[in-house]
Amino acid sequence: MDKMKKDTTPTLLDFGSVQIFLARHFGFCYGVENAIDIAFRTIEEHPGKRIYLLSEMIHNPQVNEDLQANGVRFLQDTKGNQLIPFEQITGDDIVLIPAFGTTLEIEKQLNKIGISTEKYDTTCPFVEKVWNRSEAIASKNYTIIIHGKPNHEETRATFSHASSNAPSVVIRDMEEAKELAKYISGEKPADQFYQKFKGQFSTGFDVNKDLQRIGVVNQTTMLASDTQAIADLLRQTMIQFFNLDESTIEDRFADTRDTLCYATYDNQSAVIGMLEIDADLAIVIGGYNSSNTSHLVELCEKKLRTFFINSEEKIVSRKEILHFNFHNKQELLTGNCLPDKNPVKILLTSGASCPDALVEDVIRKLRSFFTMGKSLDEMISDFRF
């Protein structure tokens, strides 16, 4: 009913004693659904065949456990550490490339073994869009600046593809963008760059030459406002240092505003709209190593008390929630979570790799703590038309 996705008002599930405001856009995106569909179809079509995943299919423990229960084995962990040596696989085996994509170097290794990576490649098309955009601006002699988490599978893959075509450097946040700006302007000596950005720049990167023309792309799950702010900062740096104006900016800075994933943007916009509600707390559901989910948590934390969980089991009782602090990577048991008031107002959303069934489980769990008001069946009937 909102084809242009202009309305970010959350959906109210009013149970009476508890009101749950569900984000207008949440959960699985096309890339994740497509990857899961390919994976399970491959399992169904090849009984008895050895099937491997290069690493986690997506950052969701339930989905990955389900794949493992169906016999799929992981070759690497999320950081790229080898779990099963490539020497143990053969050309008769199947290797699935996860939704994040993979590096050109790993593709080459697998192809050498005889693995057809193209046939079982579940790389998200929006990740591939970033690769294609990088290649396009590289052909115009721009250096590629990648806003992303250096150790994330997607960023490692994007860096590999980008650096095969042009000098490339990864920056993780605004702080690093400001540092990079100082090397562009000459405020900091070039030789310090190599230590500051160690492990984040392409082979042969020349600070004096390779920061003359730049373009910014991003890991598709980063916070949209952060990527835009970083691009704006670097664009302004180029304007000031090279004495440019709007008619000459493209001589030094490529327009790359179209590389953010639609689902990332929609989910973040929906959370911003949901935060207009005066609520008691927010719950965000998703895998603890999910980048896009952590950014939804980050948005909510700025406004109100927020709990990051990966299943309904983490809601221990009406008073206690076992939740994840993504800042220090620890699970915490917090008390006095659901206030003693009527009604309790809760904001709810989930990351792009979180199955909708988990969201429903959380709604059921929250509803179970309140005896008064509508039942779940009554609520469902309200939305049938």
Side-chain angles (χ1 to χ4, degrees):
M1 296 173 68
D2 179 29
K3 293 180 181 179
M4 300 305 292
K5 298 183 179 179
K6 298 294 186 183
D7 185 0
T8 58
T9 307
T11 299
L12 170 59
L13 307 179
D14 189 352
F15 293 102
S17 51
V18 60
Q19 294 179 341
I20 298 174
F21 295 85
L22 186 62
R24 178 55 57 96
H25 304 289
F26 65 92
F28 272 0
C29 60
Y30 168 77
V32 167
E33 288 183 339
N34 181 60
I36 293 172
D37 179 63
I38 292 172
F40 282 101
R41 191 168 68 244
T42 301
I43 293 168
E44 184 180 339
E45 293 175 353
H46 299 279
K49 194 97 168 176
R50 293 203 306 180
I51 301 175
Y52 297 94
L53 250 170
L54 188 55
S55 62
E56 290 188 358
M57 169 60 68
I58 57 174
H59 286 161
N60 181 273
Q62 290 86 354
V63 172
N64 290 310
E65 287 166 9
D66 200 3
L67 287 166
Q68 288 176 310
N70 279 275
V72 176
R73 301 175 67 193
F74 294 165
L75 294 173
Q76 298 179 333
D77 65 15
T78 58
K79 296 187 182 300
N81 299 313
Q82 210 70 27
L83 300 175
I84 299 173
F86 285 154
E87 291 78 14
Q88 291 186 16
I89 60 177
T90 71
D92 292 328
D93 298 325
I94 293 172
V95 176
L96 291 156
I97 305 300
F100 312 109
T102 191
T103 66
L104 293 172
E105 295 78 11
I106 289 177
E107 275 191 24
K108 187 176 180 180
Q109 280 183 277
L110 293 173
N111 292 157
K112 192 174 181 180
I113 294 168
I115 299 292
S116 174
T117 52
E118 298 87 359
K119 191 172 182 180
Y120 303 103
D121 187 354
T122 76
T123 303
C124 173
F126 291 94
V127 173
E128 291 179 329
K129 180 181 178 182
V130 175
W131 299 349
N132 294 336
R133 193 75 181 92
S134 297
E135 185 177 356
I137 63 176
S139 68
K140 298 177 182 178
N141 298 316
Y142 289 101
T143 288
I144 312 300
I145 311 299
I146 304 164
H147 174 217
K149 300 173 182 178
N151 292 325
H152 191 282
E153 300 100 310
E154 182 190 324
T155 298
R156 295 201 307 267
T158 296
F159 177 76
S160 173
H161 283 258
S163 61
S164 71
N165 297 303
S168 304
V169 59
V170 178
I171 55 174
R172 71 180 74 235
D173 52 27
M174 178 58 82
E175 182 181 339
E176 289 196 350
K178 289 177 179 178
E179 286 296 303
L180 187 67
K182 293 175 183 177
Y183 294 107
I184 293 172
S185 65
E187 183 180 338
K188 282 198 168 185
D191 59 334
Q192 291 182 12
F193 168 89
Y194 301 102
Q195 184 59 41
K196 171 64 181 176
F197 291 95
K198 186 177 180 180
Q200 295 175 219
F201 56 86
S202 55
T203 303
F205 195 94
D206 185 338
V207 180
N208 295 314
K209 177 171 68 72
D210 293 333
L211 294 177
Q212 302 288 306
R213 286 167 58 85
I214 63 173
V216 179
V217 298
N218 60 291
Q219 177 185 320
T220 59
T221 55
M222 299 303 282
L223 198 58
S225 57
D226 285 355
T227 297
Q228 188 59 58
I230 285 169
D232 289 345
L233 170 77
L234 294 178
R235 185 177 189 273
Q236 190 60 35
T237 299
M238 302 301 276
I239 289 174
Q240 291 176 348
F241 183 69
F242 292 103
N243 195 26
L244 307 173
D245 56 32
E246 291 302 322
S247 66
T248 57
I249 182 60
E250 285 193 13
D251 293 343
R252 300 285 181 176
F253 190 84
D255 180 6
T256 55
R257 288 173 293 178
D258 58 351
T259 63
L260 192 72
C261 164
Y262 83 95
T264 296
Y265 180 80
D266 288 347
N267 287 357
Q268 291 174 7
S269 297
V271 165
I272 292 170
M274 181 177 72
L275 290 171
E276 295 295 319
I277 302 297
D278 184 18
D280 299 301
L281 67 146
I283 294 177
V284 181
I285 315 162
Y288 292 161
N289 57 345
S290 167
S291 175
N292 77 85
T293 309
S294 68
H295 290 305
L296 300 181
V297 176
E298 188 178 351
L299 286 171
C300 290
E301 284 182 338
K302 293 177 181 178
K303 181 75 180 290
L304 77 172
R305 200 179 191 197
T306 302
F307 300 97
F308 183 6
I309 62 175
N310 62 14
S311 76
E312 85 286 352
E313 295 173 356
K314 302 299 181 179
I315 306 175
V316 180
S317 67
R318 174 164 179 163
K319 291 297 183 183
E320 294 184 319
I321 296 179
L322 185 63
H323 60 103
F324 187 69
N325 183 326
F326 77 91
H327 303 286
N328 59 21
K329 312 300 181 188
Q330 292 182 340
E331 266 194 330
L332 304 171
L333 182 64
T334 298
N336 299 317
C337 297
L338 300 182
D340 293 322
K341 57 175 290 194
N342 189 354
V344 175
K345 296 183 178 182
I346 303 172
L347 306 183
L348 183 63
T349 190
S350 65
S353 54
C354 178
D356 290 351
L358 292 183
V359 179
E360 184 174 338
D361 289 342
V362 168
I363 293 172
R364 290 180 183 275
K365 187 69 170 282
L366 290 170
R367 174 65 186 84
S368 71
F369 298 130
F370 299 86
T371 57
M372 303 296 290
K374 285 185 178 180
S375 69
L376 200 64
D377 288 339
E378 289 173 323
M379 178 59 63
I380 292 171
S381 68
D382 288 346
F383 285 91
R384 287 190 176 131
F385 58 88

